[in-house]
Amino acid sequence: MNPLLADASTAQKQSSKPKVKVETLAKGTKYATKLYIIDSGKPGPVVMIVGGVHGNERAGYTAAAKVKDWNIKKGTLLVLPKANVMAVDKKVRYLSKQGDLNRKFPKSSSQKGSNTLSRAIWSAVKKHKVDWLMDMHEGFDYYKNKSTSSVGQSLIYYPKNGTKTVATKIVSTLNRGISSSYKKFSLLKYPVKGSLARAAGQYLGVNSFIFETCDNPSLSVRVKYQQLAAKTLLKELGMY
């Protein structure tokens, strides 16, 4: 190939690579955390993927850290790998003085969140006009074990427009690779009140859901589940 054409081809590939910006949420506070903004430069959905709302749920923030390095075909991908950095660093669900972050988001249309971190994340969702939101979590047991209250191995969506269709596709894609019916993912409705997914769906009209792996399998398997769920979402939106 002509070297000039090769250079032009390389330049074209480089120019088409999404631009990545980093924004700090809750900047200047002890809760400061990084939001990665992957902009394809082409029109399309705005998708936000969140990990680390609970600091002891490793698969979520580990997978989100990988997702932030993905390329996309169109639209914008926002990734918040460690929403609750302090809890992640201490490997705890949440800090007692801070409270459970997944109960601190608006519970009415007039609220903005009940602590510094929830308000900063909520502000980012509104600022970037998020269309789809996936919040990565983990349960301590399988949802199908009715002797516990855990929702591990489930996708919990807020019912709005086409959310169920995409959620169903994600669950069916995951379940094709799981032989045990007991360990398959379940499709549930209505994330808990005070959660980011519930507030975004109910008050901002975002297509939102919580994706829960069960922490019984190995970490590598759980991370793969989280990544596959995120990849399926982006594929359904024509972004991956």
Side-chain angles (χ1 to χ4, degrees):
M1 179 184 286
N2 185 315
L4 292 177
L5 293 178
D7 289 344
S9 176
T10 300
Q12 185 178 26
K13 289 180 180 179
Q14 290 176 342
S15 65
S16 63
K17 189 174 182 179
K19 296 179 181 179
V20 181
K21 297 180 182 178
V22 181
E23 182 178 307
T24 301
L25 306 187
K27 190 174 183 178
T29 75
K30 60 184 178 181
Y31 306 110
T33 185
K34 293 181 179 180
L35 174 68
Y36 296 83
I37 305 166
I38 300 96
D39 183 0
S40 70
K42 298 178 182 179
V46 178
V47 176
M48 185 172 189
I49 293 180
V50 180
V53 166
H54 291 144
N56 61 341
E57 297 175 5
R58 294 185 296 163
Y61 62 76
T62 302
K66 296 177 182 294
V67 173
K68 72 176 175 57
D69 296 323
W70 289 359
N71 290 333
I72 53 173
K73 295 178 180 179
K74 67 178 184 179
T76 302
L77 176 61
L78 311 176
V79 185
L80 185 64
K82 297 181 179 180
N84 194 343
V85 172
M86 295 178 70
V88 170
D89 288 345
K90 292 184 179 295
K91 298 180 174 61
V92 296
R93 182 178 174 88
Y94 58 85
L95 302 180
S96 57
K97 291 183 179 180
Q98 181 189 32
D100 188 340
L101 179 59
N102 213 35
R103 302 295 185 274
K104 299 297 182 181
F105 291 94
K107 295 179 182 178
S108 74
S109 58
S110 61
Q111 293 181 350
K112 298 180 180 179
S114 57
N115 64 16
T116 299
L117 187 52
S118 63
R119 286 192 291 270
I121 296 171
W122 186 246
S123 177
V125 174
K126 294 175 68 176
K127 171 186 174 181
H128 293 285
K129 299 179 180 178
V130 172
D131 298 305
W132 286 82
L133 186 145
M134 173 182 179
D135 192 4
M136 296 175 161
H137 283 265
E138 294 205 271
F140 63 86
D141 203 345
Y142 294 99
Y143 168 72
K144 292 184 178 180
N145 180 1
K146 298 305 180 181
S147 66
T148 75
S149 60
S150 181
V151 288
Q153 299 293 83
S154 71
L155 187 156
I156 313 168
Y157 71 98
Y158 187 83
K160 177 193 176 295
N161 298 335
T163 309
K164 182 179 180 180
T165 300
V166 174
T168 300
K169 178 67 174 182
I170 293 171
V171 168
S172 64
T173 299
L174 267 293
N175 285 343
R176 281 200 294 269
I178 301 173
S179 57
S180 170
S181 61
Y182 181 74
K183 297 179 180 180
K184 288 182 181 290
F185 284 85
S186 298
L187 186 62
L188 309 175
K189 289 192 293 186
Y190 295 109
V192 64
K193 289 183 178 180
S195 66
L196 176 58
R198 176 63 175 259
Q202 188 168 4
Y203 305 123
L204 298 181
V206 176
N207 296 280
S208 58
F209 61 90
I210 293 174
F211 185 77
E212 297 258 4
T213 45
C214 173
D215 68 5
N216 282 341
S218 67
L219 178 61
S220 62
V221 169
R222 286 142 48 202
V223 170
K224 286 179 181 177
Y225 286 160
Q226 295 278 1
Q227 287 183 281
L228 181 54
K231 186 179 293 185
T232 304
L233 169 62
L234 297 180
K235 281 185 175 181
E236 287 298 298
L237 299 176
M239 296 173 66
Y240 191 92

